[in-house]
Amino acid sequence: MKKMKKIAALFLAGAMVMSMAACSGKSDNKTTTAAADETTETIAESTAETKADAEMGPIFADLVENGVLKVGIIGNDPTFCFHTVQDGKDALVGFEVAGMYEMAERLSEYLDREITVEFYESDFTGCMSALQANQVHFVTRLSPTDERKQSWLFTDVYHKSNECYVALKDNVDNEKFTGTLEGVTVCGQMGSIDITMTQHLYPDAEIQELGMVSDLLLSVKNKKSDLACMNAVSAAMSIAANPDLAVVDSLTWEPTDEFDKGCGLCMAYGNEDFADWASGFFADITEEGLWAQMQSDAAAQLDETALEDFIVE
């Protein structure tokens, strides 16, 4: 629409130049020059806008054209992302979900057009497959490891938490839960930084990569795994929903950047402009205190419905 207005302005300015040029008199020459200058300026603005559009990365270009922010989000992980009931209907909530809605609002202002959000909720494998197929713009909550950065572009880190290990409550004092965890089977979510850190910290542990957090808990309860590794937020939800599980405090670890750089948004290279904008977005809402408020609000939304997926028998 803006370009159409500028094209119309060019025609109008051109008509003014031609009309004034047909008149005689020195005073008219000044007016003609002013109109010509205005026309030149309008052409320059239009050219600059066209150039800016051409230099947009794929995400921004798609947002401008279609107005939908396509988010790949790893589901069933309170308080990041979980389901609850609102007004009698199932609702996807969590502080990452709230963050994406806020991102859409600020993108609407930035791009001067309405931006809505579309969530693709799956596990790590499903989300990465969707990203590779260009079905989503990015995947949330992934750690920018050196290996991943060889293939994918990341924003700055927006969240980081302690690493915890969950076991059966009557097994938390297992004498094997020391040293390198030799003879201990540890399960974790496929592709997660939890697995990577466990391999570094406990090289003799036997690793099992599974899908969702509920799969990890079931593996521990069925004694197919001795421990389930996960972030502190997921661990808290897990033991709240399952009284027979507990965190092994002696194994809780505050990760250093060497092992856990935290998590950010993962997207295809070529979207450096969007990655920079998104990093600025997270910095802004953190400074404003909004990011912390979203996390508190998400915790307040936890109820029996939200914990249902964590209850495993």
Side-chain angles (χ1 to χ4, degrees):
M1 181 62 72
K2 289 183 178 179
K3 289 183 179 179
M4 291 300 294
K5 289 181 178 179
K6 288 184 177 180
I7 291 173
L10 288 175
F11 278 108
L12 179 59
M16 290 174 62
V17 171
M18 292 175 64
S19 174
M20 292 177 180
C23 299
S24 61
K26 294 182 179 179
S27 60
D28 287 341
N29 288 338
K30 294 181 181 179
T31 306
T32 301
T33 302
D37 289 342
E38 183 179 351
T39 301
T40 302
E41 183 179 351
T42 305
I43 293 173
E45 290 176 359
S46 181
T47 302
E49 181 177 336
T50 301
K51 183 178 180 181
D53 288 346
E55 291 177 350
M56 277 186 177
I59 293 178
F60 267 136
D62 188 54
L63 287 171
V64 169
E65 181 177 357
N66 298 307
V68 180
L69 182 65
K70 302 171 185 176
V71 179
I73 193 164
I74 300 173
N76 190 29
D77 196 0
T79 53
F80 296 95
C81 169
F82 58 99
H83 287 262
T84 188
V85 175
Q86 293 181 344
D87 299 325
K89 297 180 180 179
D90 178 74
L92 184 67
V93 296
F95 70 84
E96 272 191 340
V97 175
M100 293 302 99
Y101 282 121
E102 181 66 23
M103 177 180 283
E105 284 191 21
R106 301 198 185 196
L107 280 169
S108 297
E109 296 177 4
Y110 181 71
L111 297 174
D112 195 24
R113 68 152 299 162
E114 182 182 9
I115 302 295
T116 59
V117 185
E118 180 179 283
F119 289 101
Y120 177 87
E121 184 186 6
S122 186
D123 57 12
F124 170 79
T125 302
C127 283
M128 291 307 294
S129 295
L131 182 61
Q132 291 172 333
N134 293 320
Q135 295 173 340
V136 297
H137 291 144
F138 53 78
V139 176
T140 66
R141 209 181 328 130
L142 291 184
S143 181
T145 63
D146 292 338
E147 181 179 359
R148 285 177 180 164
K149 287 166 70 175
Q150 292 178 11
S151 303
W152 300 102
L153 174 67
F154 284 83
T155 63
D156 292 343
V157 167
Y158 62 75
H159 183 80
K160 190 173 183 178
S161 64
N162 286 351
E163 185 69 13
C164 292
Y165 293 82
V166 174
L168 288 169
K169 182 176 286 187
D170 59 9
N171 195 37
V172 292
D173 296 323
N174 191 318
E175 61 182 13
K176 290 184 178 181
F177 294 167
T178 57
T180 60
L181 294 186
E182 183 177 0
V184 176
T185 301
V186 182
C187 62
Q189 284 185 281
M190 185 178 298
S192 69
I193 193 62
D194 308 311
I195 290 289
T196 303
M197 285 194 295
T198 298
Q199 290 171 327
H200 278 285
L201 289 170
Y202 309 111
D204 293 327
E206 180 182 342
I207 304 298
Q208 292 181 339
E209 296 193 55
L210 304 176
M212 310 293 276
V213 174
S214 55
D215 297 326
L216 310 184
L217 304 181
L218 190 60
S219 183
V220 170
K221 286 197 173 191
N222 289 338
K223 299 184 178 180
K224 293 181 179 180
S225 301
D226 299 304
L227 297 168
C229 59
M230 61 189 73
N231 63 68
V233 176
S234 296
M237 299 304 102
S238 298
I239 62 175
N242 299 275
D244 55 340
L245 297 178
V247 171
V248 182
D249 291 332
S250 61
L251 297 178
T252 298
W253 186 62
E254 183 177 351
T256 62
D257 287 344
E258 178 184 1
F259 294 106
D260 181 12
K261 296 178 173 60
C263 56
L265 304 183
C266 173
M267 64 198 71
Y269 276 104
N271 290 294
E272 285 77 6
D273 55 348
F274 183 83
D276 288 343
W277 184 92
S279 294
F281 162 77
F282 284 115
D284 287 344
I285 64 173
T286 298
E287 184 177 354
E288 294 165 12
L290 183 57
W291 195 223
Q293 184 61 52
M294 288 177 178
Q295 295 179 51
S296 297
D297 291 344
Q301 288 179 299
L302 290 170
D303 54 18
E304 291 183 2
T305 301
L307 293 175
E308 278 181 359
D309 290 335
F310 280 77
I311 301 174
V312 294
E313 302 295 341

